[in-house]
Amino acid sequence: MCGIVGYIGHKEATPVLINALKKLEYRGYDSAGIAVFDGEDIIVRKAKGALKFLEQKIADETIKGSLGIGHTRWATHGEPSDLNAHPHTNVSGSIAVVHNGIVENYMELKGWLQAQGIVFRSQTDTEVIAHLVNYFYEQNPDIFQAVIKAIHKLEGSYALGVICKDFPDRMIAARKESPLIVGLGDKENFIASDVPAVLEYTREVYFLDQKELAVLYDDHVDLFTEDGEKVIKEPYHVDWDISSAEKGGYAHFMLKEIYEQPKALTDTLRPRLVKKDGLNKDIEFDEVSFGDDWKNAERVVITACGTAYHAGAVAKYAFEKLARIPVVVDFASEFRYRNPILTDKDIFIVISQSGETADTLAAMRLAKKAGAHIIAITNCVGSTVSREADDVIYTWAGPEIAVASTKAYTTQLMCLCLLALKTAFLRGSIPQEKYKDMLDELERIPDKAQTILDNQAAIQKFASRNFNKEKVFYIGRQFDSATSLECALKLKEVSYMHSEAFAAGELKHGPIALIDKNTLVVATATQKELYEKLISNIVEVKSRGAATLVITQDTEGAFGDSADEVIRIPDTAEEYTSMLSIIPAQLFAYYCAVQRGNDPDKPRNLAKSVTVE
């Protein structure tokens, strides 16, 4: 979720762009840059790190010009650096582009452009767009038509801002899936990836729809379809305050990030599904070479901390069921001290949202010293874990502002499910037809996540009745038992309610002594063959006064007579249920925190990235 801004008007563009980018810093970024037409050339200035470093770089020079674009980048392709920062230009520097999103076919396009003699300067997917626009511009010197032809070649998501020195009176904007707005001012107009960037200058905006383009002049804006047909729409008047606008209209970043999960899951999944001969689809990670070590591995070892550890706990069941390979999941803080036994037949996976978790880094280095091959799953390009691992898989969730992780967790699960499926296919432990069916179902997960979010009212109401419980216990079996760990963590992190997770079969072995009328028991039940076992557990706790909630795929009313409340999630393969069943638990934790007067974005005593032991 990078930040895009653009300006055309009667003011100097540079200070407007810098000011607008500051309003988007909340989105998270690792570099920043601007491109301004000074009357003769497009001047590009970029800097790794915080926006202040860009400001320092341009402090001693005056960049004149009233047409420009700016960007704060969250790295996806290529490490954070001055070179990889946006804007990117064509070879001559006459066209500049800023881009949010992911160009899924960028390697194919890059190879084709290189065959035309184009030399690339960065590692990014975005540079492809600048050269592609230039390719079509050289055929027909109309920048608008060149952009239209270029976006028809792009697969994936994009929000674009494009300027050309030959057309200093206009700016081109386009979007597909990644958000982009147009701000309408007095003899000046703006583009931005979010409303806060323009609120200081205007409250009249167009929200560009899917596959729409805009051509901005200083005195008017024209809107078009991707085929160049004119679009007429009414501007929207923004009456939000700055704080609300930064959160996209959501009350808190945590809630916003919960609702971003369908897109984050799509962004993480889609580039990894490719068409192959003999199969409708196959899994392909550009970052990982699946050689004989994957086929012949004797064990998978997963280590992580906190939420990432819980993703690993779920993945254990997926790997063992699909790939029929033993899995060890360990806390990184324990792994580093127990003199672990490792061999060159192990697949060693580390998971870290930030890529900087101290215990995880120490565990990874210990495993690497022992000769293990390291695969890292992280959300941060250029992080320490991504640099030191042998292979790295990025979750492409975008930045998380709230301390409590939500979309990072579900995208970690998406990557782990893809790895488990790929391993199963390579080892021949899954029939080809089932492999195809599992990939088809995986593509449906983002839409099913959206269905849960569209029906969140029941969860909110349940939270309003149970936010004052003294104890909350989460129970489940198999996949659901692992998911319960993350459910309990989310609740305790943001609501400060006492919550614990147990394998449901362990209730009788101690925990049931804690059950009374001040207790809520949440049972996750997504495996039909285990419904009867869960019903018995629910009856046991209800007879001792506990309130009960069941999160289930069941549509036949199996829990109707035993549970106080049933939240239904869409049906899916049990290997994927955790990506769905966690969402009601995230919402429940959020609404409990709000009911109790807590700030769910900044829970006490917690940090987003734990960089010390």
Side-chain angles (χ1 to χ4, degrees):
M1 295 295 288
C2 320
I4 281 178
V5 297
Y7 176 79
I8 183 169
H10 55 89
K11 298 187 179 85
E12 293 294 339
T14 299
V16 175
L17 295 173
I18 295 295
N19 188 49
L21 287 174
K22 288 180 179 179
K23 300 298 192 299
L24 298 179
E25 285 189 287
Y26 72 90
R27 297 167 70 88
Y29 66 101
D30 47 47
S31 60
I34 59 171
V36 176
F37 179 65
D38 70 354
E40 294 184 2
D41 297 299
I42 295 176
I43 308 300
V44 178
R45 296 291 182 265
K46 306 190 284 189
K48 175 185 174 181
L51 192 57
K52 65 181 180 181
F53 296 117
L54 175 63
E55 290 186 275
Q56 291 169 4
K57 181 173 280 191
I58 64 177
D60 296 330
E61 61 178 319
T62 300
I63 303 175
K64 293 287 186 180
S66 56
L67 170 67
I69 51 179
H71 193 268
T72 49
R73 175 179 186 249
W74 177 270
T76 56
H77 297 74
E79 66 182 6
S81 68
D82 289 8
L83 195 61
N84 288 329
H86 297 212
H88 289 282
T89 69
N90 61 336
V91 173
S92 69
S94 62
I95 295 171
V97 175
V98 289
H99 164 232
N100 287 351
I102 295 170
V103 181
E104 294 168 10
N105 61 333
Y106 88 99
M107 288 300 294
E108 174 188 337
L109 292 171
K110 183 174 182 178
W112 178 74
L113 287 163
Q114 286 174 325
Q116 311 299 313
I118 301 300
V119 177
F120 282 73
R121 290 169 290 204
S122 77
Q123 301 166 300
T124 67
D125 56 339
T126 300
E127 190 181 350
V128 164
I129 303 173
H131 295 308
L132 195 61
V133 171
N134 180 72
Y135 173 83
F136 290 114
Y137 184 73
E138 287 181 342
Q139 293 180 341
N140 174 22
D142 181 325
I143 189 61
F144 178 62
Q145 290 299 325
V147 171
I148 284 183
K149 289 181 179 179
I151 64 176
H152 278 90
K153 296 290 186 181
L154 303 180
E155 296 176 10
S157 58
Y158 57 78
L160 298 176
V162 182
I163 60 174
C164 175
K165 65 177 290 185
D166 299 333
F167 291 85
D169 65 334
R170 70 198 66 179
M171 177 193 313
I172 314 297
R175 75 152 293 219
K176 176 189 171 190
E177 296 186 7
S178 292
L180 195 65
I181 64 110
V182 174
L184 306 174
D186 181 13
K187 297 182 180 178
E188 58 183 1
N189 291 300
F190 311 80
I191 62 169
S193 49
D194 210 347
V195 170
V198 304
L199 280 185
E200 183 176 329
Y201 308 102
T202 181
R203 289 182 172 268
E204 302 299 317
V205 303
Y206 290 129
F207 291 96
L208 291 187
D209 290 325
Q210 274 287 74
K211 300 182 180 180
E212 279 189 349
L213 294 93
V215 182
L216 289 77
Y217 304 87
D218 59 5
D219 59 351
H220 72 284
V221 173
D222 294 325
L223 304 178
F224 301 88
T225 68
E226 65 173 343
D227 296 318
E229 297 177 2
K230 203 79 174 282
V231 174
I232 304 298
K233 64 168 67 175
E234 290 296 317
Y236 176 82
H237 179 75
V238 179
D239 55 9
W240 316 332
D241 60 25
I242 289 287
S243 177
S244 294
E246 287 179 349
K247 300 179 179 74
Y250 292 96
H252 298 93
F253 284 112
M254 182 180 178
L255 186 61
K256 178 175 183 280
E257 288 158 8
I258 290 172
Y259 273 81
E260 287 174 343
Q261 286 177 112
K263 183 180 185 303
L265 288 165
T266 298
D267 289 345
T268 299
L269 169 67
R270 187 181 289 161
R272 278 76 189 242
L273 286 187
V274 297
K275 292 182 179 179
K276 290 280 189 177
D277 293 339
L279 279 173
N280 287 338
K281 302 181 189 75
D282 195 10
I283 297 167
E284 188 172 288
F285 288 96
D286 291 338
E287 314 97 321
V288 181
S289 298
F290 291 99
D292 290 340
D293 53 339
W294 286 85
K295 293 180 183 178
N296 303 325
E298 296 177 353
R299 186 177 64 156
V300 173
V301 179
I302 302 174
T303 186
C305 299
T307 287
Y309 169 83
H310 298 158
V314 174
K316 171 184 171 69
Y317 291 99
F319 271 99
E320 291 188 344
K321 182 177 179 183
L322 294 170
R324 305 305 300 154
I325 184 171
V327 180
V328 174
V329 185
D330 206 350
F331 291 107
S333 55
E334 290 293 301
F335 183 89
R336 64 185 296 194
Y337 293 117
R338 67 175 178 83
N339 193 21
I341 300 169
L342 293 166
T343 77
D344 59 5
K345 297 292 187 181
D346 291 334
I347 296 172
F348 193 88
I349 302 172
V350 296
I351 313 168
S352 171
Q353 180 271 332
S354 68
E356 304 293 345
T357 310
D359 286 320
T360 303
L361 286 169
M364 179 184 71
R365 288 162 180 160
L366 180 64
K368 197 166 188 179
K369 189 176 181 181
H373 187 85
I374 313 297
I375 297 93
I377 297 175
T378 183
N379 196 37
C380 294
V381 175
S383 59
T384 303
V385 74
S386 71
R387 294 195 307 271
E388 295 189 13
D390 298 304
D391 296 312
V392 59
I393 297 171
Y394 294 112
T395 53
W396 292 342
E400 275 191 332
I401 307 302
V403 169
S405 181
T406 52
K407 61 179 179 173
Y409 172 75
T410 48
T411 53
Q412 286 165 359
L413 288 177
M414 180 63 80
C415 288
L416 289 162
C417 285
L418 285 166
L419 272 180
L421 271 174
K422 184 69 174 183
T423 306
F425 184 70
L426 290 171
R427 295 168 66 87
S429 60
I430 185 172
Q432 184 166 305
E433 190 59 32
K434 183 178 180 182
Y435 182 65
K436 174 185 175 299
D437 292 342
M438 293 291 284
L439 291 180
D440 289 342
E441 178 58 25
L442 202 55
E443 282 194 291
R444 291 189 277 267
I445 290 297
D447 287 341
K448 292 182 177 184
Q450 186 62 55
T451 298
I452 297 171
L453 294 168
D454 291 342
N455 295 280
Q456 55 78 42
I459 304 165
Q460 186 174 6
K461 289 179 182 177
F462 187 80
S464 70
R465 299 194 299 269
N466 291 276
F467 69 91
N468 56 355
K469 293 293 184 184
E470 292 180 4
K471 296 162 286 186
V472 181
F473 298 142
Y474 290 88
I475 62 172
R477 292 172 183 263
Q478 301 294 300
F479 286 94
D480 299 329
S481 175
T483 308
S484 293
L485 296 169
E486 178 62 10
C487 296
L489 178 63
K490 283 286 97 51
L491 187 64
K492 71 180 67 170
E493 280 182 321
V494 298
S495 74
Y496 316 144
M497 298 166 71
H498 179 81
S499 59
E500 296 184 52
F502 304 109
E506 293 299 301
L507 267 175
K508 290 191 183 75
H509 298 276
I512 202 166
L514 298 172
I515 303 295
D516 57 25
K517 61 184 176 65
N518 295 314
T519 306
L520 168 65
V521 176
V522 180
T524 305
T526 64
Q527 297 155 93
K528 191 170 184 178
E529 67 274 15
L530 296 174
Y531 283 175
E532 289 186 7
K533 300 289 187 183
L534 263 296
I535 290 171
S536 296
N537 296 135
I538 293 165
V539 170
E540 287 172 346
V541 298
K542 278 200 73 173
S543 68
R544 288 159 176 81
T548 55
L549 167 68
V550 176
I551 300 171
T552 182
Q553 299 182 102
D554 173 58
T555 58
E556 298 176 2
F559 298 94
D561 295 332
S562 53
D564 297 317
E565 186 88 16
V566 177
I567 300 295
R568 290 182 175 85
I569 62 172
D571 188 42
T572 190
E574 64 182 34
E575 294 86 353
Y576 305 156
T577 53
S578 294
M579 286 183 279
L580 301 181
S581 59
I582 188 60
I583 296 175
Q586 292 170 342
L587 288 166
F588 178 70
Y590 169 78
Y591 287 122
C592 283
V594 172
Q595 288 278 0
R596 293 165 70 91
N598 301 339
D599 181 352
D601 290 343
K602 299 176 182 178
R604 67 191 183 199
N605 305 330
L606 297 179
K608 185 65 179 170
S609 177
V610 183
T611 56
V612 295
E613 285 192 69

